[in-house]
Amino acid sequence: MHEIVTLQLGQRSNYLATHFWNTQESYFTYSENEESPIDHDVHFRPGLGADGSETFTPRTVIYDLKGGFGSMRKINALYDIDDAQQMPKGLWDGNIAVQTQQAIGQNDYQRSLDAGLEPPPLDSETVRYWSDFNRVFYHPRSIIQLNEYELHSGLMPFEDWDAGEELFVNLDKEHDLLDRDLRPFAEEADQLQGLQVVTGTDDAWGGFAARYIDGLRDEFGKKNIWVWALEETEKGPRHQEKRGLKKINAARSIQDVASQASLYIPIAAGLASSPSYLNFEDHSPWHISALQATAVESIGLPSRLRALGGRRRTFQTLEDVLNTNNHQTIAKLELSILNPRSLNLQSSNTASKDPRVTEKDFADTSEDGVHSTNACLTTMDIDLFPGNQQNHSKHIFGRAEILRGNWPSQALGLGEDDDNSRLRRRPVALPIIERYRTSLLFPLLDSFPKIYNNTSLSSGLNSVAVHASLSTTSEVGERLKGLEDVVQRTRGFEERELLLNSLGEMREAYEDGWKCSDEEDDY
């Protein structure tokens, strides 16, 4: 079944993942005559509830700090049983005094879902935690609260990379976290495709993730491990010291995590520029994660669409396009959004009504199958790659795209599929590009903020067309060079030289084969 197990680390990651799981839940169909285009077995696991009824819950493990789960209970309605049945009889039969912290109350949206009523609209004020807009039931084993640190604590902030590393080491020594938390989900899989990790990487969660992924690599060998690496944006002069700490944390995460992951995708919280159709509150984690989730959910779509023609797309399929020299594990994420009705008017090219991936296009416009420029590549509206790269002559090594909706082929510069083209292009460092098409649009649920709902997209949309891409590009090398400069200026950092050497070695993978020697000497 090519299952994928997800690991969610921290508040920011859980915001993004909640949008992801809400979207997966929306693909379920409940009519015998209607088949979902999504193979739900990839991300969901069957089970039994407390009353013996069948359940279908995400294959995920969710970590957060004390207070980070909001109003969510570990035992939800699917697994709830009478408290009297849960309490085992012990040696003490006397009175028991239980002290509990005051529970965080549900918002109106969650109360309406529990009552089976139409929920009221959400806004940034009513979404205080990621659980406030959650629409999915999780297995109790998925919910893991780390009580050693408290969310938004001013006394013990969970910000330093070393603190996260130390927390994992201590907990793992006591509990063996992989064995206790992740193994039950992995062992349920018939044919595990890989794991995806959603984590902050510029705070303490980066250190926690680094040691966790060490264990994953030891346990699962050559299995595909994708890391969605979230980075915040601190603005203003008073945050200068904090920005420096975050960049050092991000650099250490790249050193330790990207070297173990089969694909590492840094994702910024802020945008250097945004299109006019984006109605975006950059202070709202609900808004930020919604934009990020649109790209993340879309780019991984081929790995969970039902197989067509006997061929299934997997994490490995996408990696084969991106990692052109076996050392390019860091990729750039981008996307564009369009009103699907405007696409239907633009294009006379009729996409298949089958929402599964129906074709693979190779971007090749020359007679001999070798094109010397990036002219066949579309510029995306939204760049989610961290940093402020200024390299206008960027080079793309590999690029995987997903087109949701009836995007016209002419606008994308698509040529004929040629199986021999990749063999001719790879040795001369020319772009390897694959595009996957599906008519399945990205749904705009009532749990999703109206960030795409201004006049240029038209009001009343319940779904949007998405063009998303992952690229290995020279901009990755430019970002690594920028982090090297930050590390070089940092004093009192014991492992500075080792970190500099690691970043420098990684940067070379995004330069070799296309930069001339004079350009390389500039570094």
Side-chain angles (χ1 to χ4, degrees), residues 512-523:
D512 291 346
W514 79 281
K515 271 187 175 295
C516 67
S517 58
D518 290 338
E519 288 176 304
E520 291 178 344
D521 290 339
D522 291 340
Y523 287 101

Side-chain angles (χ1 to χ4, degrees), residues 154-173:
L155 185 63
M156 287 181 60
F158 199 57
E159 295 178 347
D160 189 77
W161 201 92
D162 289 325
E165 181 180 41
E166 182 182 10
L167 178 60
F168 178 86
V169 170
N170 291 338
L171 290 174
D172 193 51
K173 187 182 301 182

Side-chain angles (χ1 to χ4, degrees), residues 294-445:
T294 306
V296 169
E297 200 277 328
S298 295
I299 205 68
L301 192 61
S303 67
R304 55 185 170 273
L305 285 166
R306 295 187 184 278
L308 184 63
R311 183 181 178 187
R312 178 186 289 274
R313 275 70 180 185
T314 63
F315 278 178
Q316 187 62 52
T317 307
L318 296 171
E319 289 175 29
D320 288 343
V321 177
L322 298 169
N323 194 350
T324 63
N325 63 14
N326 296 323
H327 300 288
Q328 295 165 330
T329 59
I330 305 174
K332 173 181 177 177
L333 182 63
E334 299 173 276
L335 78 158
S336 294
I337 303 293
L338 272 183
N339 184 334
R341 292 194 289 269
S342 68
L343 279 180
N344 291 334
L345 292 174
Q346 289 178 30
S347 177
S348 59
N349 176 33
T350 56
S352 169
K353 293 183 179 179
D354 190 330
R356 295 173 288 183
V357 172
T358 55
E359 65 179 80
K360 177 185 70 178
D361 293 312
F362 185 84
D364 184 2
T365 58
S366 63
E367 293 181 2
D368 62 355
V370 177
H371 199 287
S372 59
T373 70
N374 294 327
C376 55
L377 297 174
T378 305
T379 300
M380 301 288 185
D381 294 339
I382 302 169
D383 185 350
L384 292 173
F385 194 67
N388 187 22
Q389 283 63 242
Q390 301 295 330
N391 186 355
H392 299 294
S393 59
K394 68 179 181 181
H395 179 81
I396 291 176
F397 299 94
R399 183 162 172 173
E401 301 182 4
I402 178 74
L403 296 104
R404 308 179 68 163
N406 194 21
W407 293 80
S409 296
Q410 296 85 346
L412 300 169
L414 297 181
E416 296 298 321
D417 182 86
D418 184 350
D419 292 335
N420 295 319
S421 295
R422 185 184 298 184
L423 296 176
R424 293 195 293 269
R425 296 164 72 88
R426 193 184 297 272
V428 289
L430 294 177
I432 307 297
I433 301 103
E434 284 191 4
R435 294 184 173 101
Y436 302 95
R437 289 177 170 272
T438 175
S439 61
L440 182 65
L441 300 171
F442 181 82
L444 301 179
L445 309 175

